Amino acid sequence: MAMVLEFFVNRYLGKLSDFIEGEVGKVIGVEEELKKIRDKLLRISPYIQDAEKKRRRNPVIDSWVKELKDIMYDAEDILELCFIEDGRLLAAHPCSCSGVHSPISLLASCFQRCKFRRDIWSKIKKVNDRLEAIKEVNTLVPGGLVAAQNNSAKTSSSTSPAFVATDIVGTQIDEAAQNLISQMENSKKNCSVFGISGMGGMGKTTLAKKIFDNDEMVKKQFKKQVWLHVSKEYSEIDILKQVLRGIGGHDDGVQSKAEIEVRIAPLLSESLLLVLDDIWSANVWIDLLRNVILNGSGRSVILFTTRHENVATEMTADFVHHVEKMHEDSGWELIRKIVFRDKEDLIISELKEVGMEIVKKCDGLPLAIKVMAGVLLHKERTKREWGKVVESNLWSTEESGAKLSNVLYLSYEDLPSHLKQCFLSCAFYRDISFRQDIIRLWVAEGFVIEQANSLMEDIAENYYKELIARNLLQITEGSIADYIFVMHDVLRSFGQKLMEEEGIIVNNAQCTSTKSLTKIRRLSISTQGDVLSLPNVIIKQKCLRALDLVNCPQIKRIENHAFESLKYLRVLNLCDTSIDSLPDSLVKLFHLKYLDLNGTKIRRLPESIGCLANLQTLSLSWCKSLHELPKGITRLSNLRCLRILDTPLTHVPKGVGKLKNLNNLEGFLAGHCDSMNRMDGGCDLDELQDLCNLITLFIDKLERATTRGNRNFVLEKKTFLRRFFLAWTMNDNENNEEQSIEAERISNQLSPPPTLELLMIENFPGQQFPAWMVSTSIHDSLADLTTLMLQNFPSCVVLPPLGQLPNLKFLKIEGGEAIKNIGPEFLGYKTPAFPKLECLEFKNMPNWEAWVLRVAHDEPNEDVQATNLNLFPNLKKCFLLHCPKLKHSILPPTRFLQIDLCPNLEYVEKVGMLQEFEVAFPSELKQLPQWVSSLVNATLNSLQKFTMLCNSLLLDSCSEGKQNWHIIKQISKVSIYSIDGKTRLLLSKDSYKYEIKDDFGSFVALDQPASFHG
């Protein structure tokens, strides 16, 4: 992405000062030249901020900025090469006993040669001369540039993300969604096409998502649902493969369109909803998908979104919904909710007038309003500060007449320089959606400002939270602990536009944008052949810093010469390609900091990988052909992240514990799969002792860990640890009692620090949970825990007192085979119990019979609800899934309740102000259980939506005039579906539909009660 010059220069000055104070600069005789560079940059730097703002309207300033950027790239490359020679790195990388030398020792010998010293001095001198030529920045334009004031520098805010429950298109979305759904239902065609059109940022995708994800009627009507985001440059084969996978097929071994189409047709015997999001051309439907879909025997509905009216016309849709602009009052309401949340503040009424002016300038574009609210969130809440936003000249730049573009540019300019760089990074890395991945990239590319006593990854997480708070990123719905994010297409396009002078995107071997006079620093490639092919301009310029391969599963080979022209590469993403080996030239990429090989077919890593002295992130998860790691990885002293999840390794080599900078270790394997191996028996848990910076630790194969001696020290001093995973592989052939005793002993010795935020325990063979989980002081020992997952613990009969965890928000309990009763011990002894829990899920509890919340001294007839007012005060969702023996349950107050396949349930206590209730019954259940009618009657004042899956007989009993009609008719919205998918009953305030599928897969009315006849 484009360099943010202000950030880059300030970062370089910090590095330069560190180097000048060291010894290497003196040894190679460049200290004086480097001081000259520092002095010139200090003279220039105050004017950079103003220059970057004015460059869009002044070609002279624009050329000056580009030249300074090019100088800075070269200057940093030279300085980093010198840092590699630094004595600190030399001490950390001596020659290995195997005879393999680190690149540092090789470079050290080069530095001893006069020729090399002259080359370095010559390069630095050249940078100095180029800076001399442009240093008189204030003579560039009449009136000059304005120097930035020190006290006006923006700083990063620690504001947490503001979540607004209402959609960005306001209340209009409900009416639009219902209108589209109604059109779909009334269509009698075997294949219907519906569209949503409007300019970028209007909420088209949001509307489509609401229909696709949230409407139960649609979810039940269509047995198969596929969502495709169709980019401007798409691969036909990839689109077809996505359809094939989406309808339950496999794309293994298929290479041609014909092969894929043959596999798709037989799978289209059931109803299909296919969403084509953000199409730029009708050809994706007319020429590619239409015949494939029509060849299926089931009913199909196609829903597309587009920003181009001509595309909507060419699609010949049955109905197209044109998204309207947001009303001004709704726009102000959206700003108010984001900036002030639900607070009633006197200042709100005072700011409404100026706030409405901002809404008007956003021209009714929901995305623009939302982004501007993110800007205002970080401003002082005064008329003066908000007035500055209104008066900003960035609302009307000459470059684009589009108001949305100007709003986005204003919000971009409001960012601190380091956040600008992070925002552009999110726009460039198209396939990155996990928080930890983007944070690793920011660290690798040097976008994080170091702070004393803080890990860079922690600082980067704050950057991530601020981009969310400013509405430049959005958390994916249902994402646990905000792990998954998305960037709106319009924001991504805007960011890619800003960085196009330095970063290009290649689709189908074609460059989408490049300028002949620009040096390309970042390259993203998608859809190539079986050999990696780089554009000629990249090979000639030899200055690429990031190479990102997206959707390139066909690539099987990388030629050795490919990396010879990429000696300054920092980021290399090869994930999900089909490469099975690495070229020898890879280990000469001395600047490389990020290497992603996830999901590749790599069979071995070279021992010389230890030569990558600057490598910070190495990702090797899901590499199914990789069985061993080279000893060389233990020489990667700068490694911060090692990922080896679900890769069938025999062991982790001893020496990993020497990697003191490691703070993310995912997939650490205890021991060796061959217990008799004498050469390298793998790592025991004490290998983790000195890794004091760990933030994330995933330990697997704990059944292979030894319990000799005391292991309490393993997690000592790990004050940064926030995510901790413990996993066993249970072996049925071994002594179960012995497995249980060993597991309990190991887990008791792995007591985590109170900083822990996420804990997962999987396949635990013990009979009792670790002592640190059942302790009465759990509220202190796990005070920061927000997410807890207990999965598959077949021998434990009692759950820990999890109700005492003061900050727990998400709790999942799955596979507790020995659990028969859950009682007061689950709550603990203090109230309120589960004070912050928002989501509770029980799943696959085959022997669970009762959930009782009464304490021992409760009277039998005492009103349980009254005694439990302090239980689960913030619960929003509760799930009881596949608990076949559960008979009696006292459920906590919740807004959403789902009960699936609990056929023996006889009694459920009142669950507070329930709003949504979903239930699924096995096919043999023919009568509506009494507890369902009791629960409905008890929550009539709040219940808004009821969904049920059952057999046809039970469904029929709920129709008008039948046995259960008196229960059903009291609910505002009802959706009941038969298990075989052939009948349904839909009830709303002014509509009743009892329907059956005809021979063509469409629903037709079965009957209609007189009370609903017009």
Side-chain angles (χ1 to χ4, degrees), residues 802-805 808 811 826-827 832-837 872-874:
L802 303 180
Q804 299 302 293
L805 296 171
L808 190 65
L811 174 59
F826 183 51
L827 304 176
F834 295 102
K836 293 188 179 179
L837 192 68
F872 304 94
N874 288 296

Side-chain angles (χ1 to χ4, degrees), residues 627-879:
H627 298 284
E628 191 169 335
L629 296 179
K631 187 74 172 177
I633 69 164
T634 64
R635 300 201 309 274
L636 299 174
S637 65
N638 282 306
L639 198 65
R640 306 178 71 87
C641 174
L642 177 61
R643 293 168 169 162
I644 46 178
L645 287 171
D646 282 337
T647 292
L649 298 173
T650 58
H651 67 290
V652 172
K654 289 180 180 178
V656 168
K658 297 186 299 184
L659 304 178
K660 301 297 177 62
N661 289 307
L662 204 61
N663 58 56
N664 188 303
L665 181 52
E666 298 178 28
F668 176 83
L669 303 175
H672 195 294
C673 70
D674 180 3
S675 59
M676 302 304 292
N677 188 292
R678 301 300 181 189
M679 294 186 62
D680 188 343
C683 297
D684 202 359
L685 296 180
D686 52 7
E687 190 78 19
L688 302 170
Q689 180 179 358
D690 294 329
L691 300 179
C692 298
N693 290 329
L694 286 175
I695 300 174
T696 300
L697 175 59
F698 192 130
I699 307 177
D700 202 358
K701 307 294 183 184
L702 274 165
E703 72 280 0
R704 301 190 324 209
T706 62
T707 56
R708 62 178 184 271
N710 187 350
R711 292 290 181 271
N712 291 325
F713 57 78
V714 171
L715 297 183
E716 279 184 354
K717 300 180 182 177
K718 291 181 174 45
T719 56
F720 296 105
L721 190 64
R722 295 206 302 277
R723 291 174 285 274
F724 189 30
F725 302 77
L726 297 170
W728 285 258
T729 301
M730 288 183 281
N731 190 342
D732 293 335
N733 296 325
E734 293 183 4
N735 184 295
N736 288 333
E737 185 176 353
E738 183 179 341
Q739 283 189 64
S740 177
I741 293 172
E742 292 296 300
E744 290 175 13
R745 187 177 299 159
I746 287 289
S747 60
N748 282 333
Q749 295 177 358
L750 294 176
S751 176
T755 54
L756 204 66
E757 295 176 1
L758 185 151
L759 173 64
M760 177 175 171
I761 299 179
E762 185 177 273
N763 297 329
F764 179 60
Q767 295 182 11
Q768 295 182 335
F769 284 102
W772 45 268
M773 284 189 70
V774 299
S775 168
T776 55
S777 61
I778 188 175
H779 58 281
D780 293 322
S781 59
L782 295 174
D784 292 342
L785 196 68
T786 61
T787 303
L788 174 59
M789 291 174 279
L790 305 177
Q791 297 184 193
N792 300 327
F793 47 101
S795 301
C796 293
V797 296
V798 178
L799 291 174
L802 303 180
Q804 299 302 293
L805 296 171
N807 288 296
L808 190 65
K809 292 184 178 181
F810 178 91
L811 174 59
K812 180 177 182 179
I813 298 173
E814 178 180 0
E817 293 182 19
I819 298 289
K820 291 187 175 182
N821 293 284
I822 297 177
E825 75 286 343
F826 183 51
L827 304 176
Y829 65 97
K830 285 186 178 180
T831 58
F834 295 102
K836 293 188 179 179
L837 192 68
E838 296 178 359
C839 182
L840 172 63
E841 178 177 334
F842 288 98
K843 184 177 181 180
N844 294 335
M845 306 284 282
N847 296 301
W848 183 27
E849 297 178 358
W851 184 7
V852 181
L853 299 184
R854 287 185 177 89
V855 293
H857 55 75
D858 282 342
E859 294 296 327
N861 297 321
E862 186 177 357
D863 183 356
V864 174
Q865 193 69 22
T867 65
N868 292 332
L869 291 177
N870 284 330
L871 306 180
F872 304 94
N874 288 296
L875 194 68
K876 297 176 181 177
K877 295 183 177 181
C878 181
F879 301 85

Side-chain angles (χ1 to χ4, degrees), residues 166-209:
T166 56
D167 200 273
I168 63 170
V169 292
T171 57
Q172 296 157 273
I173 191 172
D174 290 324
E175 183 178 339
Q178 287 303 317
N179 185 27
L180 273 166
I181 292 169
S182 176
Q183 295 283 344
M184 291 179 186
E185 289 182 321
N186 292 332
S187 175
K188 301 301 180 184
K189 295 168 66 176
N190 197 45
C191 181
S192 307
V193 180
F194 300 92
I196 304 172
S197 72
M199 68 176 292
M202 289 291 291
K204 302 181 299 296
T205 299
T206 303
L207 176 55
K209 275 280 188 187

Side-chain angles (χ1 to χ4, degrees), residues 575-593:
C575 77
D576 296 324
T577 60
S578 296
I579 61 169
D580 61 6
S581 62
L582 297 172
D584 295 338
S585 55
L586 176 77
V587 298
K588 297 180 181 178
L589 301 178
F590 301 141
H591 292 273
L592 192 65
K593 295 184 178 181

Side-chain angles (χ1 to χ4, degrees), residues 227-499:
W227 180 284
L228 295 180
H229 176 79
V230 186
S231 58
K232 191 173 184 180
E233 303 290 339
Y234 61 86
S235 160
E236 291 188 347
I237 288 181
D238 183 56
I239 289 290
L240 289 172
K241 281 187 175 182
Q242 288 185 62
V243 172
L244 177 59
R245 291 192 297 266
I247 60 177
H250 300 283
D251 60 2
D252 299 340
V254 292
Q255 298 296 331
S256 68
K257 288 170 55 178
E259 287 178 299
I260 304 171
E261 289 171 356
V262 168
R263 291 194 182 188
I264 289 176
L267 298 174
L268 291 179
S269 59
E270 295 183 298
S271 55
L272 168 71
L273 172 61
L274 174 62
V275 177
L276 304 174
D277 183 39
D278 198 25
I279 62 173
W280 291 68
S281 167
N283 293 339
V284 70
W285 169 244
I286 297 171
D287 298 336
L288 181 63
L289 293 174
R290 181 165 59 185
N291 288 338
V292 178
I293 300 300
L294 290 177
N295 285 336
S297 58
R299 179 186 177 226
S300 299
V301 168
I302 314 302
L303 176 63
F304 69 87
T305 73
T306 183
R307 61 187 75 181
H308 302 287
E309 290 297 330
N310 59 326
V311 173
T313 302
E314 291 170 7
M315 288 289 290
T316 60
D318 298 274
F319 174 77
V320 177
H321 172 77
H322 301 277
V323 181
E324 298 178 352
K325 292 182 179 180
M326 182 175 274
H327 303 316
E328 289 182 4
D329 287 341
S330 297
W332 165 244
E333 181 66 14
L334 183 57
I335 287 180
R336 188 188 68 79
K337 286 190 175 182
I338 291 175
V339 176
F340 298 98
R341 314 285 176 89
D342 294 323
K343 296 178 181 177
E344 293 295 333
D345 200 320
L346 292 175
I347 194 65
I348 296 177
S349 57
E350 296 178 13
L351 291 174
K352 182 175 181 179
E353 183 179 351
V354 65
M356 291 294 283
E357 291 185 49
I358 293 172
V359 170
K360 290 176 183 176
K361 284 182 173 286
C362 291
D363 197 30
L365 304 178
L367 178 63
I369 295 170
K370 195 171 182 181
V371 169
M372 284 310 303
V375 173
L376 297 173
L377 184 64
H378 295 265
K379 299 288 185 185
E380 289 184 26
R381 293 167 187 177
T382 64
K383 284 186 177 181
R384 182 171 177 271
E385 285 301 310
W386 283 31
K388 289 180 181 179
V389 175
V390 175
E391 300 301 324
S392 172
N393 59 9
L394 295 175
W395 286 101
S396 55
T397 59
E398 296 175 8
E399 181 181 290
S400 170
K403 291 191 175 183
L404 177 59
S405 177
N406 297 329
V407 169
L408 298 182
Y409 194 76
L410 190 150
S411 64
Y412 172 77
E413 277 301 319
D414 188 66
L415 293 172
S417 61
H418 58 279
L419 285 186
K420 289 179 182 176
Q421 200 73 79
C422 294
F423 168 77
L424 295 177
S425 177
C426 293
F428 176 75
Y429 292 109
R430 300 171 288 165
D431 208 36
I432 298 295
S433 58
F434 286 93
R435 176 179 67 182
Q436 295 307 312
D437 291 337
I438 197 66
I439 283 173
R440 292 287 159 193
L441 285 163
W442 293 345
V443 172
E445 296 213 60
F447 299 158
V448 180
I449 302 173
E450 294 189 52
Q451 298 174 12
N453 301 319
S454 295
L455 294 177
M456 286 193 288
E457 288 77 8
D458 285 345
I459 301 168
E461 286 208 17
N462 288 332
Y463 294 179
Y464 175 81
K465 292 175 182 177
E466 185 162 358
L467 288 176
I468 292 169
R470 291 174 178 266
N471 294 309
L472 297 175
L473 298 178
Q474 291 178 308
I475 296 300
T476 302
E477 185 178 357
S479 171
I480 298 175
D482 299 343
Y483 280 171
I484 307 175
F485 72 91
V486 292
M487 175 178 264
H488 194 284
D489 289 343
V490 172
L491 286 168
R492 190 179 299 280
S493 297
F494 170 73
Q496 290 177 352
K497 178 73 175 175
L498 291 179
M499 64 90 180

Side-chain angles (χ1 to χ4, degrees), residues 106 427 543 573 790 846 908:
L106 294 175
C543 60
N573 178 18
L790 305 177
V908 176

